[in-house]
Amino acid sequence: MPRRPVAEPSPPGLGFPSRPAAGRPGRGGRAARGQRLALFDLDDTLVDRRAALAATLMRFADRHHLTAEQHGAVLARLGERAAISDFQAIRTLYGLAAPAEELWTAYLADMAALSVCPAEVLDGLDELSSRGWRLGIATNGPADIQHAKLEATGIGRRIHGVGASGPVGFRKPDPRLFAAAAVSCGATVEDGGWMVGNDPVKDIHGGRLSGLHTLWIGAPSRWPAHLQAPDQYRSTALLAVRLLLDGTS
Ligand SMILES: [Mg+2]
């Protein structure tokens, strides 16, 4: 497809790639060459995982009559990630009668039901998509829980692909995870794009290694001094989406 000039210039200093805006893509199809790509982290970027986890484990503690100390220990154990093996261990530690599979299934259902993506962010994803962006998720986590959260929050209907470390076999910041996420969107990191996330190493360092522009969800004063700064900062996912929208027409 021949390249043509961008109809309206990007705001100065944003570092948006100069490439033509494409028409609205069909879901799952191959992206037109030069199409814009935005990959988003999921947990604590588009979805408040900490809040969902706290609410889920409050239910878990009530359901299984855990003491406050046991509740705190489970919260700490699952703070970063959870797998069915954690529930096998928790079941043994606290003498729970339910099989680990049942505990895991209930955990997945509660995490999905209690995960929320703000309506304004969902609207912003719709707007990006209508402007020709390919939208994907680049996430460390097993496919089952990440997909359950994507569907329950409405994010899943608004994106073109998902790269989850479980099925992909690589974890952020490994560039192969980002490359897989881009391919799942019908795009390629070689054509550039953006990585948006809250983790300086996994999302921003990894995104840069992949050749993507980087947008950190955080305050500049909290950026780790030993790491190369992101291309852009915004304090919330909504402001990050608006930045991408401001750079395209
Ligand atoms: Mg995150």
Side-chain angles (χ1 to χ4, degrees), residues 41-47 49 172 197-199 202-203:
D41 169 51
L42 181 60
D43 291 326
D44 296 319
T45 292
L46 292 181
V47 165
R49 179 181 183 268
K172 294 181 293 185
N198 73 312
D199 191 291
K202 295 172 189 166
D203 298 323

Side-chain angles (χ1 to χ4, degrees), residues 41-45 50 80 138 140 171-173 178 195-208 214-218 223-224 227-228 230:
D41 169 51
L42 181 60
D43 291 326
D44 296 319
T45 292
R50 291 167 204 266
E80 286 300 313
N140 285 348
R171 297 178 61 79
K172 294 181 293 185
F178 300 90
M195 175 62 204
V196 182
N198 73 312
D199 191 291
V201 173
K202 295 172 189 166
D203 298 323
I204 304 305
H205 178 63
R208 176 179 293 108
T214 54
L215 203 175
W216 186 50
I217 307 296
W223 180 258
L227 291 176
Q228 187 176 337

Side-chain angles (χ1 to χ4, degrees), residues 4 29 31 39 43 77 82-83 93 95 98 108 122 145 151 157 163 168 170 175 186 188 208-210 220 225 246:
R4 55 185 168 77
L39 300 179
D43 291 326
R77 181 183 188 111
L93 275 171
L108 294 181
L122 295 174
I145 188 161
E151 294 313 308
R157 298 191 297 277
V168 170
F170 304 104
T188 169
R208 176 179 293 108
L209 288 177
S210 306
D246 287 346

